[in-house]
Structures are given as C-alpha cells and as structure tokens.
C-alpha cells in the first residue's frame, strides 16, 4: 500500500471515530509503516479468530450468521478483518476507548434525532378504531414491510447496470434484448405462478388407491422437474432470492408424500438455475456471467435428457416413484452444486473477476469431493475464457477491449500532454488503474505485473510502434497457478525490455537527464558565469518590468558562447518567471497535508514586488514518452534545487562585489578604520558560509547522489525502477540540501537575507565614500595640459557636483559618525552569528536524532577550526537543563 493510501485510510478512520486534536494522521502513519508485516491470514488463523470473537460477543449467533452471509457474498478481505477484530478483543485499553467512542456517538445521534423528529397524529385513547380501519392499517403496514424486504426487481437492476456502463462508455452502448423476451414468461422455462388456482380437482387424490396415487404423482413430478406445475404439486411464488417451495396435496398418503418431499429439492434447484441462467445471460451482466450461464445450460442438457428418458419410461408404464427416486439421485449432487453457485453469484452481485474468484474458491473448497470439484473446474474454465481473452490482449499488445467493464484494469480518459503542464497530473498512476473487486483471487499476486505489462506496451504503442509479445500463448485456467503465472512473467519481461530499450536507446533518456543536470544543477560553470554577467542588469528589475524575449535572447547568447554549445538538447532550455520566490514555494509544498496548509493558503499575498532574481528559473521542454520520467513534478523539484543554488550564487557574487569595492575604498582616508576591519571580517565569514554551503550541496550531495542514480539506471530492469531511482535522486537532493525541513529552511532564508542586506549597506557606504572623494576632487580649480578649463568643462563640472550632492543627501545616514556605522556593522555581525549558531545547532540535532548523517558535513566545513564548538556545547547543555526541568 502506498504512503498516500495509508494517509487517506488513517484520515478516514480518524474522522469516523471523531478523533480531534493530537498530532494528526502523521504520527499514526509513521507507526504503521514501521510496524507493518507481510502477514497473510490463513484459513486456520481466520477460523480461530472467528471463534474468539464469537466467544466475546453478546450475540454469537448473529455474528456467525453475518459472517456466513458475507462469506457467501464473496466479500473481499473478510478474513483479515476478522483477524484484526480478534486482536482488538485482546486489547482492553483499545476496547474501552472504542466503547466510550460508541457511547458518545450514540448520544450525539440521539440528540440529533430528538431535535429533528416528525410529529405523528395519534388518535385519542377514548376513540376506538373500527374493524375496517384496523384492517386497512394492517394492509398498509404489510405493504410497507413487504416493499422494504423485497429487493429491487431484475428490470431495475438491468437498467441501473446499463446506465452505469453507458455513462462510462457513451460511444459503446450495451445491446438490449427486446421487451417481449421478458414479457413472455413461457419463454423462460421456469414455473409460471398465477394468483388464482387453475381449478380444483374433481376428486381428491387422497381418496384414490395407492397405485393410482403413485402414478399421478410420478406424472406430476416429471412436470415439476422441468418447471411446469403439476395437478397435485404446485410451485409457490418466489420473493427476492429465496429458493422455490412447493405445495403438495395434504390428502396424499404419507409414504408417498415422504418420497415426493425427497425429490422436490431437485425441482427447487432446477428453478434456481433456470432463473439464474435466464437473467444472467443478459448483456448487462457481462461476458463472464454469460459464459457461466452457457456452461450451466450445457450441463443442464444432461439433466433434461434424463427427465425425457424417464418420461418415456412412464409412458410405457415402467416408472414407479421408487425408480424415479433411484434414477434422479446421481444428478442431485450436480444440480445442488449448480444451484449453490447460482445463489452465491446472485447474492454477491458478482460480475467479471468477482465471479471467477467465487468459482475458483469453490473449486478449492470442494477438494475431496471429486465430482463437485470437476464440475466447478469445468464452470471456471468456461467462465474464464472471455476474461482471459481480455487479459491476453492487454499483456501481449497493451490494448484493453473490455466492453462490459469486467477486467481488473480500468482505463481513464487522461491527456498525456498535461503531464508537462500540471504538477499534480498523475497520468502514469491514473491512466490505467487496478479495480480491486474485479481481480480474480487466483491472479491477485500477479495483479501489479499485469497492470505494468499492459502499461509498458501501451506507451510504446502510443509512440506509433506496433508491439506484440513473441512468446504469446493462449492463457488457460488451471488449478496449477504456475502455468499462467509463467505466461504473465514472460509477457512482463518482454514489455519491460521493449519500453526500457525504447527510452534508453532511441529516446536517449540518460543524455536528457545529463542535459538537465548541466543547467538545473549548475554543472556548466562557464555557462553560468556568462549568463549571470549578461543578465545581471535585467534581473535586477522588478519581475513585471522584465521582457522575457530579451532574457531568452541572452540565454541563447550564453549557450552559444560557452561549453554548453556542445549539448544537443540545449534548445529545449527555456526561461520561466515564477509567481513566488523559492522559499515561499518550498514552504507551500511542505505545508501540504499538514496543519499549516490552510494558514499558508489563506494568508494575504505579499505586497513586495519580486525582483527578476527572486522569480527567475529555468524550464525544460520534454516530449512524450520521456515526460513519463521527466514530468512536471520532477521538473518542479529540479527548479527548486536550481533556484536555491542560483540564489546562493547570486549572494556569493554580491559578496565578491563588496570585496572588490572594499579594495577600491581603501584608497580613501578614514578617521577611524576599526569598523572597516570588522566589516571586512564579517564579509569574509559570510563569503565562507555561502561558498561552503554551495560546495556541500554540489559536491557532497548532488554529485554523489547523481552517480548512484546513474549506476542504478544501468541496472534497472523496467521503467518503474527508472521512475523510482529518479524520484529517489531528487528527494535525496532536496532533503540533504535542507529544502524539506521548514525549520532549517527559515533559518537559512534569514541568513541569506542578512547577507544581502549587509552587501547593500556596504555598497551604499562605499559608493558614498567614492562620491565624497569625487566631491573633494571636483571642488579643485583644475586645468588641463592645454591651459585653464574651458566653459564647457566648467558646466560639466557643475553638473557633476549637483548629482553628487543629490546622492550624498539621499545617503546622509551613512556619512554620520563612525560610531553609528560601527554599531550597524556590529548589529549585522550579531544577527549573522546568532542565526549561524542556530543553524549549526539545529543541524547537529537532526544529524543525531534523525540519522541525517550527511548534514553533519556542513558543521565540519563551517566550524572547521572549532570557532563555534564552545558556543554549541553551551547551547546543548542549556537545552538539556531545560528538558530536565
């Protein structure tokens, strides 16, 4: 079971139990995944569990009756559920909690019911109801009870099935039998029950001599055995799914009546089988049920031939009641088994795979009864033929031809083009899905492989290539599963190889992934230097002012001027300007399915306009079928990693620019250089932090993880392995780059913000110093080698003075006393040190408690000389003291 399915089931269970508060479903999911075992409930364990529950139950008869009813309906996962319930009976604490919960829910429902009850007008006790009113009331109550207990008519069920099918397949409506097939009961072959008797016999049969009674009853029974009422033995109307009962003349001799009552169950079974075959042969019930009814009719021919032969003996006066009983006994077992199967299929409302599951289970349950087992085996083989024809087309050619929606694999209309547009598009998972109740029990273990086999071939077919498995053989039902399991295995291996070779060799999947790595994981250093140099001014603008075609042109220029020019897939790289910065995007993703999700979604959008740098990202054009692997979800993860690295590279460039401007600022005279030395030291610490973080992400996370994925792809045997390895690579990169932990992400975001604010402050101050120097320079009455300044030079000098004065007026705060600026630098130093210590402290906790051993490498790189070790140790001691308190 996938993690998302567990999450859904746990949430549903919590809502059913009305559990509120606590830590939500996440805690329970972790416990389930850690403690689950591949335990399979056996017949013995299910029986012992059933006995245990019956012992603890206040009404064991009701429980056992319900169990047998569900068992007869072929309910899926019944035995595992009973086993789970038996385990719950041993857990006193859980039982107490469930009882309390049930009590609260019953009180709640009682309150709701009492508040919304409808008032009924009850006659006063002083007035008496007449006999006529009492009789009318009795009839009304009887009608209501009868309508509630009688199930839906066959016509209503057929219409419901027909509408459901036509809704799913509007282009392929189900053929419908003409109405006269159902309007003429004589065509059915079952008893025609009339509300009024055909006519009273002239003479009661009990008054006749015994030989006459016997001959009359033999003739009646020969009629009853083929679904026609006799004179003294008549069929009762059937309500719902009940068995047919008969009325025998009460005046009949007791010895003859006893023998008649022994034979009548055969007629009842015949009636059940006839009704079943007539009803289930309709198109609405599917091909499997149709094949089953055809096989039953074939078996019933022998029975009808026997009755015809007995009738011939009767005409010759050679058939007595004892002989009839003797001749009918060998077929009784066959008729009983057929009627039992018909009743079970009818009760369980089985179609397609569920019908085959029931037949398969019956075949195994009749082990020891060779006649019944051979009969069930014949029926299962016959019924499985249309199902296996659908299966063969699916596993050998990747085509679903399932006109009556019986097959275990269901097709959904999804557009493969959306796989590159929609992040939540689940084409690969949802285009074809398994329908659990349609899986025959003998194919349960192979269901996933059957699904994958057809999916693989279908992908290749949608690329315009016709594929057919060379090892294709007819799949036949047998009690030895190995026969069809081997066929499915061969088809699966062929389909896996065909699709894998198609993607790896013809579509060059690995080369595509390398191309994506060049750009999204910053593999091409010279390309990024060129690109960032070219787009620096453009990306500083607000995102609304940026012209995307200009960025595309600069990207093209950077690609042609760098080593990326040799990449054959470089033209698929595109520019994308995102609506959120990377931190907001990551926090939104991490908040999904948690308590913070609603808060983040309902939060007011920020009024701060994004700059081009914050919104910038790459995108990549991927065509079918590579989009199965490199889908929108995978590209979004690549974009998150790229935007994180790109922003770090941007901050590094800002700090390097500060270093360059600081070198030029050294030529200016300063009254006090204390704070300048502190600013240089802080800039170097920030640069060391950013460079080491980048080194860690690129060389200690992405490169090793990439090589692991590349080696795994060489060993992959099918496309699902490729998907798994690729997703695992991206997930590990995101996790080890601290992008999946909201706490670490927020601290890192604040650190980068402090670095950017520091660079802005230093750039403004350096520019102020430069302007100050230029102001002093401009105040000198300078001349040139050719003589005193001309009028135009004086005008230009005055303009420069004006601009410089304006700039200095805007940045007057930075030209105040040395002590105030020293305080600003000291504040930056304090904030940066506090956040960095906080980050290192959190990293040490996660690397120890959550076994995230790769993260401890950041601590070793940033604290290479033990500068922060003492502070971290003090923080650890304080934390342990708080925990103890």
């Amino acid at each position: 079971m996938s993690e998302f399915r567990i999450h859904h089931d746990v949430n549903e269970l919590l809502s059913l139990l009305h559990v509120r508060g606590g830590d939500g479903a996440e805690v329970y999911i972790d416990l389930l995944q850690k403690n689950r075992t591949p335990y399979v409930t056996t017949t013995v364990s299910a029986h012992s569990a059933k006995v245990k529950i019956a012992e603890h139950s206040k009404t064991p008869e009701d429980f056992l009756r319900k169990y047998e009813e569900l068992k007869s309906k072929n309910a899926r996962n019944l035995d595992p559920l009973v086993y789970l319930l038996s385990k719950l009976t041993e857990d006193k604490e859980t039982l107490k909690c469930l009882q309390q919960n049930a009590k609260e829910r019953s009180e709640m429902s009682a309150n709701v019911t009492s508040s919304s009850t409808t008032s009924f007008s009850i006659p006063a006790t002083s007035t008496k109801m007449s006999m006529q009113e009492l009789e009318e009331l009795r009839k009304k109550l009887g009608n209501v009870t009868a309508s509630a207990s009688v199930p839906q008519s066959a016509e209503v069920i057929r219409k419901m099935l027909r509408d459901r099918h036509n809704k799913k397949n509007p282009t392929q409506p189900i053929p419908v039998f003409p109405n006269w097939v159902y309007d003429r009961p004589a065509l059915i072959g079952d008893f025609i029950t009339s509300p009024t008797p055909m006519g009273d016999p002239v003479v009661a049969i009990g008054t006749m001599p015994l030989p006459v009674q016997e001959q009359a009853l033999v003739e009646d029974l020969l009629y009853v055995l083929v679904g026609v009422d006799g004179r003294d033995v008549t069929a009762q109307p059937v309500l719902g799914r009940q068995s047919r009962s008969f009325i025998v003349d009460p005046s009949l001799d007791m010895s003859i009546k006893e023998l008649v009552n022994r034979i009548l169950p055969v007629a009842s079974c015949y009636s059940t089988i006839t009704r079943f075959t007539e009803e289930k042969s309709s198109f609405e019930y599917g091909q499997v049920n149709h094949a089953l009814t055809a096989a039953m009719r074939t078996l019933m021919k022998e029975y009808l031939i026997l009755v015809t032969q007995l009738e011939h003996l009767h005409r010759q006066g050679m058939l007595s009641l004892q002989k009839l009983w003797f001749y009918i006994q060998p077929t009784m077992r066959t008729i009983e088994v057929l009627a039992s199967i018909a009743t079970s299929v009818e009760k369980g409302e089985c179609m397609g795979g569920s019908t085959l599951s029931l037949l398969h289970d019956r075949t195994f349950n009749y082990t020891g009864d060779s006649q019944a087992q051979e009969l069930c085996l014949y029926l299962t083989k016959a019924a499985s033929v249309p199902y296996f024809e659908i299966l063969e087309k699916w596993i050998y050619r990747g085509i679903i031809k399932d006109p009556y929606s019986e097959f275990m694999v269901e097709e959904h209309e999804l557009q493969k083009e959306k796989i590159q547009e929609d992040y939540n598009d689940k084409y690969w998972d949802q285009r074809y899905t398994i329908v659990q109740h349609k899986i025959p029990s003998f194919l349960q273990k192979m269901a996933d492989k059957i699904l994958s086999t057809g999916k693989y071939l279908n992908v290749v077919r949608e690329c315009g290539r016709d594929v057919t498995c060379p090892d294709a053989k007819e799949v036949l039902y047998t009690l030895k599963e190995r026969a069809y399991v081997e066929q499915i295995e061969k088809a699966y291996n062929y389909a896996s190889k065909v699709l894998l070779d198609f993607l790896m060799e013809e579509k060059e999947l690995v080369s595509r992934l390398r191309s994506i790595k060049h750009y999204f994981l910053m593999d091409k250093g010279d390309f990024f230097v060129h690109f960032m140099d070219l787009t620096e001014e453009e990306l500083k603008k607000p995102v609304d002012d940026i012209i995307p075609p200009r960025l595309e042109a600069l990207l093209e220029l950077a690609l042609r001027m760098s080593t990326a020019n040799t990449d054959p897939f470089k033209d698929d790289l595109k520019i994308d300007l995102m609506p959120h910065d990377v931190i907001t995007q990551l926090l939104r993703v991490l908040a999904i399915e948690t308590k913070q999700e609603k808060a983040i979604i309902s939060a007011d959008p920020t009024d701060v306009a994004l700059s081009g740098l914050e919104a910038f990202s790459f995108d990549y054009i991927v065509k079918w079928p590579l989009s199965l692997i490199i889908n929108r979800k995978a590209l979004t993860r690549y974009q998150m990693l790229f935007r994180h690295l790109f922003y770090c590279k941007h901050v590094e460039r800002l700090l390097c620019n500060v270093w360059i401007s600081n070198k030029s600022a050294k030529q200016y005279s300063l009254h006090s250089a204390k704070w300048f030395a502190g600013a240089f030291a802080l800039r170097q610490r920030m640069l060391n932090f950013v460079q080491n973080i980048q080194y860690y992400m690129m060389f200690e996370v992405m490169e090793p993880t990439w090589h692991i994925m590349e080696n795994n792809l060489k060993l992959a045997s099918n496309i699902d392995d490729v998907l798994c390895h690729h997703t695992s690579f991206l997930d590990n990169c995101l996790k080890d780059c601290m992008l999946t932990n909201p706490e670490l992400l927020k601290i890192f975001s604040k650190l980068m913000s402090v670095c950017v604010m520091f660079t802005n402050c230093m750039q403004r101050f350096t520019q102020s110093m430069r302007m100050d120097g230029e102001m002093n320079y401009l105040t000198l009455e300078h001349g040139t080698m050719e003589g005193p300044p001309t009028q135009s030079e004086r005008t230009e000098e005055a303009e420069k003075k004006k601009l410089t004065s304006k700039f200095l007026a805007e940045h007057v705060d930075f030209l105040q006393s040395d002590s105030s600026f020293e305080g600003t630098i000291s504040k930056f130093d304090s904030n940066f040190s506090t956040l960095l210590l906080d980050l290192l402290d959190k990293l040490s906790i996660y690397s120890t408690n959550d076994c995230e051993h790769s993260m401890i490498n950041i601590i070793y790189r940033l604290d290479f000389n033990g500068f922060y070790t003492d502070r971290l140790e003090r923080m650890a001691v304080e934390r342990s003291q708080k925990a103890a308190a």
Side-chain angles (χ1 to χ4, degrees):
M1 188 187 291
S2 67
E3 182 181 348
F4 299 105
R5 179 61 187 272
I6 295 174
H7 198 290
H8 169 75
D9 290 344
V10 170
N11 270 327
E12 192 171 355
L13 183 60
L14 290 175
S15 64
L16 285 171
L17 295 175
H18 296 286
V19 176
R20 298 285 183 269
D23 298 319
E26 289 80 8
V27 177
Y28 302 106
I29 292 165
D30 291 340
L31 286 172
L32 283 171
Q33 290 188 325
K34 287 176 183 175
N35 298 315
R36 63 178 175 173
T37 57
Y39 176 78
V40 179
T41 310
T42 61
T43 307
V44 177
S45 61
H47 177 72
S48 60
K50 181 176 68 172
V51 171
K52 188 182 293 182
I53 294 175
E55 289 173 355
H56 284 80
S57 175
K58 293 180 180 178
T59 54
E61 296 84 5
D62 293 342
F63 166 73
L64 293 172
R65 193 182 303 113
K66 189 66 179 177
Y67 177 84
E68 294 302 330
E69 180 189 339
L70 292 172
K71 200 70 176 172
S72 68
K73 288 184 177 181
N74 197 35
R76 288 295 177 93
N77 298 321
L78 178 61
D79 288 339
L81 175 63
V82 170
Y83 182 79
L84 173 64
L85 293 175
S86 72
K87 287 293 181 185
L88 286 175
T89 58
E90 299 173 1
D91 192 337
K92 303 298 181 186
E93 188 177 347
T94 306
L95 273 178
K96 186 177 178 182
C97 177
L98 289 172
Q99 287 168 355
Q100 180 64 26
N101 186 275
K103 185 179 177 183
E104 290 173 0
R105 290 176 64 188
S106 62
E107 289 174 356
M108 192 185 303
S109 60
N111 292 335
V112 172
T113 308
S114 62
S115 62
S116 60
T117 49
T118 310
S119 59
F120 293 96
S121 57
I122 301 173
T125 54
S126 59
T127 59
K128 292 185 178 180
M129 294 180 71
S130 65
M131 291 300 294
Q132 186 178 356
E133 290 174 339
L134 188 64
E135 190 63 30
E136 286 178 2
L137 182 60
R138 188 183 291 116
K139 283 182 181 178
K140 287 180 181 178
L141 289 173
N143 291 336
V144 171
T145 308
S147 63
S149 61
V150 174
Q152 292 175 318
S153 66
E155 185 180 350
V156 173
I157 294 173
R158 282 196 301 271
K159 185 178 184 306
M160 184 178 66
L161 291 171
R162 194 161 53 246
D163 292 343
R164 188 190 303 166
H165 176 274
N166 292 340
K167 188 177 180 181
K168 280 187 179 180
N169 303 298
T171 57
Q172 297 178 345
I174 290 183
V176 182
F177 282 133
N179 289 333
W180 57 264
V181 173
Y182 306 106
D183 293 341
R184 299 183 181 183
L187 295 175
I188 295 175
D190 193 18
F191 294 94
I192 302 172
T193 54
S194 56
T196 57
M198 299 299 293
D200 295 331
V202 179
V203 182
I205 194 168
T207 61
M208 298 179 182
L210 279 178
V212 177
Q213 289 187 35
E214 184 177 357
Q215 287 303 309
L217 261 297
V218 167
E219 185 171 351
D220 270 13
L221 285 173
L222 288 173
Y223 280 118
V224 170
L225 288 173
V226 291
V228 180
D229 279 334
R231 192 187 70 169
D232 302 302
V233 181
T234 55
Q236 288 284 84
V238 177
L239 290 176
R241 299 190 180 103
Q242 296 175 1
S243 298
R244 178 80 67 180
S245 59
F246 298 89
I247 298 176
V248 182
D249 194 313
S251 65
L252 194 63
D253 184 78
M254 288 302 296
S255 60
I256 295 176
K257 186 185 284 189
E258 180 63 28
L259 207 50
V260 168
N261 288 333
R262 289 186 189 179
I263 298 171
L264 282 179
V266 180
S268 178
C269 291
Y270 170 81
S271 175
T272 301
I273 296 165
T274 303
R275 278 181 284 123
F276 175 80
T277 53
E278 290 296 334
E279 177 61 27
K280 298 299 179 183
S281 59
S282 298
F283 295 106
E284 290 86 353
Y285 292 97
Q287 293 174 304
V288 171
N289 283 344
H290 186 82
L292 175 62
T293 57
M296 282 187 170
R297 283 196 176 105
T298 303
L299 292 171
M300 289 301 290
K301 283 180 183 177
E302 298 178 10
Y303 168 80
L304 293 172
I305 290 169
L306 172 64
V307 175
T308 305
Q309 291 172 347
L310 292 174
E311 190 177 347
H312 184 65
L313 287 174
H314 175 62
R315 287 175 184 171
Q316 294 177 349
M318 300 170 61
L319 186 65
S320 65
L321 205 54
Q322 287 289 348
K323 282 186 177 181
L324 177 60
W325 171 239
F326 173 77
Y327 286 126
I328 209 74
Q329 280 187 76
T331 62
M332 283 187 71
R333 182 59 180 156
T334 301
I335 298 296
E336 285 173 2
V337 171
L338 291 178
S340 172
I341 290 172
T343 304
S344 297
V345 172
E346 186 72 28
K347 277 185 179 178
E349 299 177 357
C350 300
M351 287 178 63
S354 54
T355 299
L356 293 178
S357 294
L358 187 143
L359 292 170
H360 175 75
D361 295 343
R362 284 297 179 91
T363 306
F364 266 96
N365 290 341
Y366 283 131
T367 302
D369 186 345
S370 57
Q371 181 188 355
Q373 190 173 43
E374 286 179 14
L375 183 66
C376 286
L377 185 60
Y378 169 77
L379 291 175
T380 312
K381 282 183 177 179
S384 65
V385 169
Y387 194 90
F388 279 140
E389 286 176 358
I390 303 171
L391 177 67
E392 287 168 17
K393 282 190 176 69
W394 176 245
I395 63 173
Y396 293 150
R397 301 191 61 197
I399 299 172
I400 285 188
K401 193 173 182 182
D402 182 21
Y404 301 103
S405 303
E406 298 173 284
F407 192 48
M408 67 172 80
V409 179
E410 191 173 36
E411 183 178 8
H412 305 277
E413 291 297 326
L414 295 174
Q415 296 178 2
K416 59 178 179 286
E417 290 77 15
K418 285 190 176 179
I419 204 167
Q420 269 302 296
E421 301 169 7
D422 185 5
Y423 176 83
N424 292 315
D425 185 72
K426 297 176 181 177
Y427 180 89
W428 182 248
D429 296 324
Q430 292 187 356
R431 171 71 194 277
Y432 296 102
T433 55
I434 287 282
V435 183
Q436 284 296 326
H437 67 272
K438 294 181 182 178
I439 305 174
S441 55
F442 52 87
L443 292 177
Q444 185 73 49
K445 295 177 184 176
M446 303 298 294
D448 290 333
K449 284 197 173 181
I450 290 170
L451 174 66
S452 300
T453 303
K455 280 168 69 175
Y456 297 162
L457 294 176
N458 187 264
V459 170
V460 181
R461 283 180 60 80
E462 290 199 0
C463 294
R465 292 179 53 176
D466 191 19
V467 285
T468 304
C469 180
D471 299 323
K473 291 180 183 177
E474 187 179 7
V475 182
L476 297 172
Y477 174 79
T478 172
L479 287 177
K480 297 177 182 177
E481 292 184 8
R482 188 175 176 183
Y484 46 78
V485 165
E486 285 180 356
Q487 285 301 112
I488 294 168
E489 287 280 2
K490 286 179 182 177
Y492 174 76
N493 293 334
Y494 170 76
S496 302
K497 188 175 185 305
V498 165
L499 181 57
L500 197 62
D501 292 346
F502 181 66
L503 288 177
M504 290 292 190
E505 295 171 12
E506 190 169 329
K507 297 298 179 181
E508 301 177 285
L509 173 63
V510 177
S511 299
R512 283 278 181 181
L513 291 174
R514 284 201 194 102
S515 174
I516 289 173
K517 177 174 179 276
H518 291 333
Y519 308 117
F520 286 87
L521 305 186
M522 293 195 169
D523 199 9
K524 294 285 185 183
D526 62 326
F527 160 70
F528 278 100
V529 171
H530 281 303
F531 179 73
M532 295 184 85
D533 287 342
L534 289 169
T535 59
E536 187 172 11
E537 293 302 319
E538 188 73 17
L539 291 177
K540 284 180 180 177
K541 300 176 183 176
V543 68
D544 295 332
D545 297 340
I546 292 177
I547 304 170
R550 177 170 171 75
L551 275 182
E552 293 280 0
L554 294 173
L555 171 64
E556 181 76 16
L557 184 62
L559 286 169
R560 304 298 177 196
M561 290 172 60
S562 64
T563 54
N565 193 35
T566 58
D567 180 13
F569 308 115
K570 62 181 178 295
D571 294 332
D572 291 329
L573 187 66
K574 300 296 174 188
I575 296 292
D576 191 10
L577 296 174
M578 310 292 282
H580 306 287
D581 62 274
V582 65
I583 303 299
T584 306
Q585 183 185 14
L586 284 163
L587 289 175
R588 280 175 174 257
V589 171
L590 293 175
I592 293 172
E593 297 289 352
T594 63
K595 296 176 182 178
Q596 292 82 16
E597 182 178 13
K598 290 182 181 178
I600 289 181
I601 291 173
S602 60
D604 294 331
T606 177
D607 295 330
V608 180
L610 288 178
S611 68
L613 279 163
E614 292 171 322
F616 177 77
S617 180
F618 282 142
D619 201 0
Y620 201 84
I621 299 172
V622 187
K623 294 180 181 177
W624 177 266
L626 289 174
S627 55
L628 286 173
I629 309 298
I630 313 167
N631 51 28
R632 176 49 55 189
K633 188 170 285 188
L635 280 173
T636 302
R637 291 171 179 174
Y638 276 117
Q639 284 181 331
M640 289 174 183
L641 289 166
F642 167 75
R643 296 179 76 189
H644 190 54
L645 287 169
F646 189 75
Y647 196 70
C648 288
K649 183 64 71 176
H650 164 64
V651 174
E652 182 191 8
R653 285 170 65 91
L654 290 179
L655 289 167
C656 289
N657 289 337
V658 168
W659 177 78
I660 294 169
S661 61
N662 285 165
K663 286 177 70 73
S664 62
K666 288 179 182 178
Q667 61 184 308
Y668 304 118
S669 60
L670 298 169
H671 299 293
S672 175
K674 270 187 180 182
W675 61 268
F676 212 13
F680 280 11
L682 179 58
R683 183 212 65 226
Q684 191 57 37
R685 285 174 58 207
M686 289 179 172
L687 191 60
N688 178 66
F689 165 72
V690 174
Q691 288 177 338
N692 276 290
I693 285 287
Q694 285 186 89
Y695 181 90
Y696 161 76
M697 290 191 293
M698 297 181 74
F699 295 101
E700 294 187 18
V701 174
M702 293 178 186
E703 280 299 325
T705 315
W706 171 265
H707 285 297
I708 290 169
M709 183 188 73
E710 254 191 340
N711 292 332
N712 288 335
L713 290 183
K714 292 175 184 175
L715 303 173
S717 59
N718 56 61
I719 200 67
D720 282 307
D721 288 347
V722 174
L723 263 170
C724 180
H725 295 319
H726 185 234
T727 305
S728 177
F729 160 73
L730 289 171
D731 287 345
N732 288 336
C733 286
L734 286 168
K735 182 183 71 175
D736 291 339
C737 290
M738 303 180 290
L739 299 183
T740 59
N741 189 312
E743 281 191 271
L744 295 177
L745 195 59
K746 287 174 182 175
I747 297 170
F748 186 81
S749 170
K750 289 176 183 176
L751 273 167
M752 300 305 279
S753 298
V754 170
C755 293
V756 171
M757 289 165 65
F758 171 77
T759 57
N760 292 337
C761 174
M762 290 301 295
Q763 289 287 8
R764 284 197 297 269
F765 176 75
T766 306
Q767 202 163 2
S768 301
M769 290 297 99
R770 190 183 298 117
M771 289 294 182
D772 193 18
E774 287 186 11
M775 189 75 173
N776 294 331
Y777 173 71
L778 289 171
T779 55
L780 299 176
E781 284 292 334
H782 64 279
T784 63
M785 294 286 291
E786 298 175 359
T790 61
Q791 186 62 36
S792 61
E793 287 176 344
R794 290 183 181 278
T795 306
E796 184 180 352
E797 181 180 344
E799 189 67 31
K800 282 184 180 180
K801 282 184 180 181
K802 186 178 178 182
L803 289 172
T804 306
S805 300
K806 182 182 178 184
F807 182 85
L808 292 175
E810 291 174 354
H811 298 83
V812 68
D813 293 340
F814 290 97
L815 298 176
Q816 291 177 359
S817 64
D818 297 341
S819 59
S820 65
F821 205 85
E822 187 177 355
T824 303
I825 298 300
S826 175
K827 191 173 181 181
F828 274 122
D829 194 335
S830 172
N831 289 340
F832 180 76
S833 298
T834 304
L835 288 168
L836 184 56
L837 277 171
D838 197 13
L839 178 67
L840 294 175
D841 184 45
K842 290 286 191 296
L843 285 172
S844 65
I845 293 170
Y846 287 121
S847 62
T848 306
N849 297 350
D850 298 346
C851 299
E852 302 293 349
H853 299 304
S854 59
M855 288 187 180
I856 205 166
N857 294 338
I858 308 177
I859 301 175
Y860 293 145
R861 296 197 65 81
L862 296 176
D863 192 25
F864 62 93
N865 59 355
F867 179 75
Y868 301 105
T869 303
D870 294 338
R871 299 192 195 181
L872 286 172
E873 287 176 355
R874 283 201 301 272
M875 290 174 73
V877 170
E878 290 173 5
R879 188 167 53 251
S880 61
Q881 288 174 351
K882 286 181 181 177

